[in-house]
Amino acid sequence: MKHSERRKILPNIIEEARAINPQLIDIRRAFHRDPEISNQEERTAEKILKILEEIGGFEIRSGIGGHGILADLRGENTGKNIALRADMDALSIQEETGLPFSSQNPGIMHACGHDGHMTCLLGAAKLLKAHQSELQGSVRLIFQPAEEMAPTGGARKMIEGGALEGVDAVFGLHVWPNLPIGKIGTRPGSLMAASDHFSITIKGDSAHGAMPQLGHDALVAGAQFISAVQSIVSRNTDPLEACVVTIGVCRAGTRYNIVPGSCYLEGTVRTYSPEVRKNTEVRMRQLLAGICAAMECEAEISYENGYPALRNNPRMAEYMIEEITNLFGAENAVKMERPAMTAEDFAFYLEKVPGAFAWLGTQATDDSECWPLHSSHYKSNEDALWRGAAFLASLALNFKS
């Protein structure tokens, strides 16, 4: 079948996706009511398996990389093997949306939209099964646990479990409240940053707050490091390169009149360039050693390389733009000018197989407040569900090379 002939099915995909949106909303809300954190997605996996079995036709493997699921659908024609991925886990956040289907699990919430990702992929499964006769080659659905468990993540275990065996290309998406509903954005090359994690323990000697000369203040050393570490961004990094150093945890002291004998710091480094990533760690260690020497303290640092930068294959990113254009019109295909400093372990898949990742717009068109991802108030726009399902299905149905 010629490529132009195959595109005749796209209007059906749009209509069919719209038609199943009420079902998709019910599915998404069921996930949202019962969120589970990384590596504990047992009930979530059960829901996915039940829906896949109801759809039928998929060869299913479960228990991959923990609670991960692989589901293969073979077309009636020879062709390429495409993988589509959705993440499953929720965050340790107490929901404050007030929605009638709010999380029933205290302190856990789908605040990053993974409930929507799973729903879009299950919607794509329904559409692909309906068009199995038009499918060239095969499609593999990857339901991945533990995406939020940085810096380790769940993608590597899924890859070790065979998620990419025999796969020619891999695609994924993420809901994106910074884009208006109806628009889908991507770009060739860097789309999201590398994400590293560090923790530091500075050890000094405690003393009476009225006689600080008798101790070695670990908190002052920590405070100097917090300030000095930003010079890595301002003075050791090319101004045209991106680098973020954030310290999100600082713990020291037990009482107002005691010089702290220890200080604990924890944070993250975000970069795109491998060279900047390496240099940031080196300079961080040098600064810490120098400050502690000057303050007569000692320090231990643990620095973990987490998710790599997410880099879209240029050809695959252009294919995504082409599919968005054909499905929803050129006005809704957004070629992003800049990447984001957030991270995604989908990057591990892209290190193994050509592919691309996209942002699915969820921003309301009215004046309602738009909360960011990872907020306890985050509300996903459910009108994006059918769009995500149609988009993922079309990526599999129309892929040629």
Side-chain angles (χ1 to χ4, degrees), residues 24-149:
L24 299 183
I25 290 173
D26 288 342
I27 291 170
R28 183 251 165 175
R29 292 182 179 185
F31 285 134
H32 194 86
R33 285 189 192 96
D34 189 18
E36 296 172 294
I37 60 173
S38 301
N39 288 327
Q40 296 183 24
E41 308 93 340
E42 184 177 355
R43 296 184 304 278
T44 302
E46 289 173 356
K47 292 182 180 71
I48 293 169
L49 289 169
K50 181 180 179 182
I51 295 169
L52 288 173
E53 289 165 1
E54 290 171 353
I55 295 170
F58 284 86
E59 300 171 16
I60 301 171
R61 288 172 281 168
S62 59
I64 310 298
H67 297 294
I69 297 166
L70 301 177
D72 293 321
L73 182 69
R74 303 190 185 280
E76 296 181 7
N77 306 286
T78 59
K80 300 295 184 179
N81 302 319
I82 308 305
L84 306 172
R85 174 271 205 170
D87 36 17
M88 302 163 62
D89 53 332
L91 287 160
S92 298
I93 295 176
Q94 180 63 44
E95 182 165 356
E96 297 181 288
T97 63
L99 293 168
F101 52 89
S102 292
S103 170
Q104 297 176 352
N105 304 331
I108 305 174
M109 176 190 174
H110 270 298
C112 199
H114 296 188
D115 50 345
H117 302 167
M118 292 182 286
T119 303
C120 288
L121 191 53
L122 288 168
K126 289 176 178 285
L127 299 172
L128 288 166
K129 182 63 178 70
H131 291 276
Q132 188 173 4
S133 61
E134 290 103 343
L135 182 62
Q136 306 279 320
S138 67
V139 60
R140 174 171 297 157
L141 311 183
I142 302 173
F143 293 91
Q144 178 211 302
E147 191 281 326
E148 296 289 358
M149 200 178 68

